[in-house]
Amino acid sequence: MRPAGPGRPARPARPQQVATVLASTRISEHLVRLTLGGPGLDGFEPKDVTDQYVKFLFADPALGLTPPYDLDAIRAQHGSEGVPVRRTYSVRAVRRSEAGTEIDVDFVVHGEDGLAGPWAAAAVPGDVACFSGPGGKYAPEPGAWHLLAGDEAALPAIAAALEGMGPGERGVAVLDVAGPGDRLDLAAPAGVELRWVERGGAWTPASSRLEEAVRAVELPENLAGVRAFVHGERETMKSLRAYLVGERGLERSQLSLSAYWAYGRAEDTFQAEKREPIGKIFPEDA
Ligand SMILES: Cc1cc2nc3c(=O)[nH]c(=O)nc-3n(C[C@H](O)[C@H](O)[C@H](O)COP(=O)(O)OP(=O)(O)OC[C@H]3O[C@@H](n4cnc5c(N)ncnc54)[C@H](O)[C@@H]3O)c2cc1C
């Protein structure tokens, strides 16, 4: 248990799964899919949503720790700097059979910076991955008009949402990617148009074309029927919240809209900033 602090009740440690990398597949220029499995996934309980996500734990190799991690014991022995660092990833697919559970996770390979991206790019079968979760709460509402939008980090969750839709669903999915080598062959209902927009390179505030492409989507006249799943870089998410809520008048309840990462921030800082004004996507939360 996490110790109770002033104003903070003790909360049970989140259970961890210790999985083995079964396969690594480059599914596009900047996405690597790791298939994880092994007996450590027997306790994995998938959620009935399309945006389920897990939090990988990366321990400092110098500490020689073996997962699952006793976070309180690590904190007591090595201080908070020794506690494994968390990185959040969508679960692209879950396969359950008598032989066990396998999951696919698609990692953006965004360069040398960071922990999870470089780790995934170098992972080979037999490597061990430890994570907690899943969390998540979005699933496409049948019969809605769907707006899906995001950059590569949201592509796995958008792909899972499209795959989870019935054949009669309608809408538009806007996918902001580096270039033509990042397009995926997505399974989507015929009535959901896929619009790939290419930045022509790495994501920067200047290269992203997501906002412009979402603004170009013609929403249906009956705005009440719209449901949006919009995720990606933080500042773009703020702009899209301002557009969808402020300019178009959508209700917050019609949106699943959040930041998945922030330009120039490692996830630790990005998560910590959620408690500060800069990290709030909806001003009323500030
Ligand atoms: C609910 C949820 C689901 C997510 N699902 C996925 C997923 O399925 N696949 C996925 O790849 N990511 C996903 N993300 C985003 C992922 O958690 C972040 O991109 C994370 O920062 C990556 O960790 P890292 O160790 O590679 O880089 P960090 O150490 O966190 O960051 C290092 C540097 O890389 C930059 N950076 C981080 N991510 C990106 C990126 N995507 N593109 C360009 N630069 C980046 C940072 O701004 C920073 O400058 C998800 C996030 C959330 C909250």
Side-chain angles (χ1 to χ4, degrees):
M1 294 275 280
R2 188 167 171 242
R8 190 182 68 198
R11 78 173 181 229
R14 294 187 180 90
Q16 296 167 24
Q17 327 282 323
V18 182
T20 306
V21 175
L22 302 179
S24 160
T25 317
R26 209 29 112 122
I27 60 166
S28 73
E29 200 169 331
H30 293 97
L31 273 187
V32 67
R33 170 166 300 164
L34 296 185
T35 300
L36 307 176
L41 282 197
D42 288 349
F44 182 77
E45 288 296 337
K47 292 177 78 114
D48 194 16
V49 295
T50 58
D51 71 338
Q52 62 187 325
Y53 62 84
V54 295
K55 288 186 178 281
F56 286 91
L57 283 88
F58 291 92
D60 180 350
L63 299 180
L65 303 168
T66 308
Y69 302 111
D70 182 337
L71 302 180
D72 290 335
I74 295 171
R75 193 176 287 108
Q77 195 181 346
H78 301 287
S80 47
E81 323 73 74
V83 174
V85 167
R86 290 186 176 82
R87 293 291 185 266
T88 312
Y89 281 84
S90 307
V91 177
R92 171 67 184 84
V94 181
R95 290 177 294 281
R96 305 189 93 177
S97 71
E98 286 193 357
T101 300
E102 284 182 16
I103 65 171
D104 291 334
V105 180
D106 296 349
F107 294 78
V108 178
V109 178
H110 54 81
E112 305 288 305
D113 277 355
L115 273 173
W119 172 79
V124 292
D127 286 355
V128 169
C130 176
F131 62 82
S132 61
K137 53 183 179 202
Y138 165 87
E141 189 179 309
W145 192 94
H146 304 280
L147 172 67
L148 303 120
D151 56 35
E152 286 94 336
L155 186 46
I158 292 175
L162 290 167
E163 222 170 76
M165 289 181 186
E169 297 299 314
R170 292 167 308 116
V172 172
V174 181
L175 307 150
D176 178 87
V177 294
D182 295 292
R183 292 180 179 219
L184 296 174
D185 198 7
L186 299 180
V192 178
E193 184 194 341
L194 302 184
R195 292 189 191 170
W196 295 92
V197 290
E198 293 168 11
R199 299 186 300 268
W203 196 101
T204 70
S207 69
S208 172
R209 297 187 50 217
L210 191 63
E211 183 186 349
E212 155 197 342
V214 169
R215 283 176 173 274
V217 173
E218 204 175 306
L219 297 176
E221 240 169 66
N222 172 23
L223 281 180
V226 173
R227 294 291 178 277
F229 183 79
V230 179
H231 298 271
E233 199 281 331
R234 188 170 71 191
E235 292 308 310
T236 309
M237 292 306 110
K238 289 180 190 170
S239 302
L240 286 175
R241 184 266 307 146
Y243 168 63
L244 293 168
V245 179
E247 292 182 43
R248 303 306 306 264
L250 294 184
E251 299 289 337
R252 190 167 174 178
S253 57
Q254 294 175 259
L255 309 173
S256 167
L257 191 153
S258 77
Y260 271 12
W261 63 286
Y263 185 65
R265 263 60 167 192
E267 183 171 340
D268 323 70
T269 308
F270 161 67
Q271 294 288 358
E273 284 180 347
K274 285 185 177 174
R275 294 187 286 275
E276 296 171 25
I278 192 176
K280 311 278 186 197
I281 303 299
F282 290 86
E284 63 268 29
D285 295 340

